[in-house]
Amino acid sequence: MFDFNIVTQWFDGLLRQTLGLSNFWSILIECVVVGLLILTAYALIAMVLIFMERKVCAYFQCRLGPMRVGPWGLLQVIADVLKMLIKEIFFVDKADKFLYIIAPIFVIMASVGTFSFLPWNKGAVVLDFNVGIFLLTAVSSIGVVGMFMAGWGSNNKYSVVSAMRGAVQMISYEMSLCLCLISAVILTGTMQMSGIVEAQTGPWQWLIFKGHIPAIIAFLVFLVAGNAEANRGPFDLAEAESELTAGYHTEYSGMGFGFYYLAEYLNLFVISGIAATVFLGGWAPINIGVAAFDGVMDMIPGFVWFFGKAFLVVWLLMWVRWTFPRLRIDQILKLEWKYLMPLSLINIVLMTVIVALGIYIK
């Protein structure tokens, strides 16, 4: 499998040896290039997901979706982006302007930060710390702050109610989300994102195969909790149009609203990317122990495996959104605290027993 470390080492050598730049300028240029690549990928994936959402929604509702702008409606998202960029940004009377302005920045920072932890390919991991899972959950929790500041700073009763609902929901489901990741850490023995993927290379080494029933339970609970964490249906009560208009971002226009719109879809991709990385092997191909089959699978680039698995989970979560009706807030919290949380705690004990007894697939 191709290792992107070859590309990064070549670029580093180009700056330091060929161009003769100092250590400071080399690191600065590398950071700028990586940042631009992250932001470009962030924007492109968001546009793909928005278009995909519209088409998947249309399919489930027996419609065609956007068809007028460009062939098969491919340019509709670009038209929407241009419209959003030129819309006027206004400020609400009697709103807390500091909170109102800074709230979308918190949300987009949390989204971009968690997006940077995703390992796309071997050697293509931007933030790859030895405590990566811990930092990933810490950075993702910043988004709750941005949501609550948006509702409070807007000085709108509907936005405040929406922010309170969203904050309670996200804080609650973060518990099950983290417990599922802890189950994976127990099985792989590492918190490093690349290390988790490396532990899944080999025949039948994906965690859903390797960890037996506890790994499958952790995967399913992670999908439910991740869907709620991303405020996706049927857990989108914070943005219930029939009750709260647009929710915590009701009073935002232009790119203020655009930041929340981008973050919602990228959070969907981040949840799917984490699920693909932790439970489905990430960039690791599926191997079954047959030399001919495994050889063909190994020829497929790692980033193709990663994006294929991530978009498979995205499609699954979109299927869920357009199939199930919206839950009430008491049903959402009951599901977490009475069912998912106890199940996750019991599952950690089962995973610990499996690892202690060494009965997982090695």
Side-chain angles (χ1 to χ4, degrees):
M1 180 173 292
F2 181 75
D3 190 346
F4 266 88
N5 283 320
I6 298 174
V7 178
T8 57
Q9 291 172 2
W10 169 82
F11 187 70
D12 184 71
L14 175 67
L15 296 176
R16 296 175 186 270
Q17 300 174 9
T18 306
L19 300 180
L21 298 179
S22 63
N23 184 62
F24 171 80
W25 287 107
S26 299
I27 294 177
L28 179 62
I29 293 175
E30 290 169 2
C31 290
V32 171
V33 171
V34 170
L36 291 175
L37 289 175
I38 291 175
L39 294 178
T40 302
Y42 188 93
L44 291 177
I45 292 175
M47 294 172 66
V48 171
L49 288 175
I50 293 171
F51 181 77
M52 181 179 174
E53 175 91 279
R54 290 171 173 174
K55 288 297 184 180
V56 170
C57 167
Y59 175 79
F60 280 104
Q61 297 177 354
C62 297
R63 299 186 291 105
L64 295 177
M67 294 290 291
R68 295 187 178 184
V69 185
W72 209 54
L74 290 172
L75 301 180
Q76 180 66 55
V77 179
I78 297 177
D80 292 341
V81 171
L82 293 176
K83 176 187 175 183
M84 196 172 295
L85 287 172
I86 62 177
K87 283 182 72 70
E88 178 186 3
I89 299 176
F90 60 84
F91 297 96
V92 183
D93 292 338
K94 299 182 181 180
D96 189 320
K97 290 189 177 181
F98 177 74
L99 296 182
Y100 182 85
I101 294 172
I102 202 173
I105 299 175
F106 269 77
V107 171
I108 209 73
M109 283 174 54
S111 181
V112 173
T114 51
F115 181 71
S116 302
F117 279 93
L118 297 179
W120 296 6
N121 199 96
K122 186 175 183 180
V125 188
V126 178
L127 300 178
D128 192 27
F129 300 101
N130 59 349
V131 289
I133 292 293
F134 175 77
L135 288 175
L136 174 67
T137 54
V139 173
S140 65
S141 63
I142 299 175
V144 182
V145 181
M147 177 190 299
F148 197 78
M149 287 195 304
W152 186 265
S154 295
N155 192 28
N156 181 308
K157 58 183 179 182
Y158 298 109
S159 298
V160 173
V161 173
S162 170
M164 293 177 66
R165 285 182 180 181
V168 169
Q169 175 181 313
M170 293 179 70
I171 292 172
S172 299
Y173 278 88
E174 276 181 0
M175 304 297 292
S176 292
L177 206 67
C178 295
L179 291 175
C180 293
L181 295 177
I182 291 174
S183 299
V185 171
I186 292 172
L187 184 58
T188 58
T190 179
M191 297 180 69
Q192 192 169 5
M193 296 296 286
S194 62
I196 292 175
V197 178
E198 293 290 349
Q200 300 179 72
T201 56
W204 302 108
Q205 289 296 295
W206 292 5
L207 252 62
I208 56 171
F209 305 136
K210 184 177 183 178
H212 305 301
I213 295 177
I216 296 175
I217 293 175
F219 176 61
L220 295 177
V221 173
F222 183 89
L223 291 182
V224 176
N227 210 18
E229 185 74 8
N231 282 315
R232 302 276 301 175
F235 302 97
D236 58 340
L237 198 65
E239 303 176 23
E241 297 86 355
S242 57
E243 303 174 26
L244 305 173
T245 59
Y248 53 88
H249 50 64
T250 296
E251 302 293 353
Y252 283 89
S253 65
M255 282 311 297
F257 169 77
F259 282 165
Y260 286 103
Y261 197 54
L262 285 174
E264 176 185 344
Y265 282 96
L266 258 295
N267 288 339
L268 170 64
F269 183 79
V270 167
I271 291 296
S272 303
I274 295 172
T277 299
V278 175
F279 298 100
L280 302 179
W283 71 70
I286 184 170
N287 295 140
I288 60 175
V290 179
F293 179 83
D294 294 349
V296 175
M297 296 297 102
D298 290 339
M299 293 174 62
I300 301 175
F303 64 89
V304 175
W305 279 107
F306 171 75
F307 279 105
K309 297 170 186 176
F311 275 100
L312 175 64
V313 178
V314 167
W315 179 81
L316 180 63
L317 295 181
M318 288 183 177
W319 184 1
V320 170
R321 175 180 183 178
W322 298 107
T323 303
F324 294 97
R326 181 181 293 133
L327 300 175
R328 299 195 310 266
I329 187 65
D330 62 309
Q331 294 173 328
I332 291 175
L333 298 180
K334 181 179 179 180
L335 175 63
E336 164 61 13
W337 292 107
K338 293 189 67 174
Y339 298 101
L340 296 186
M341 171 70 77
L343 180 61
S344 300
L345 291 171
I346 295 172
N347 197 55
I348 285 182
V349 176
L350 292 176
M351 185 67 78
T352 305
V353 171
I354 285 178
V355 173
L357 296 178
I359 57 177
Y360 57 91
I361 298 176
K362 301 178 182 178

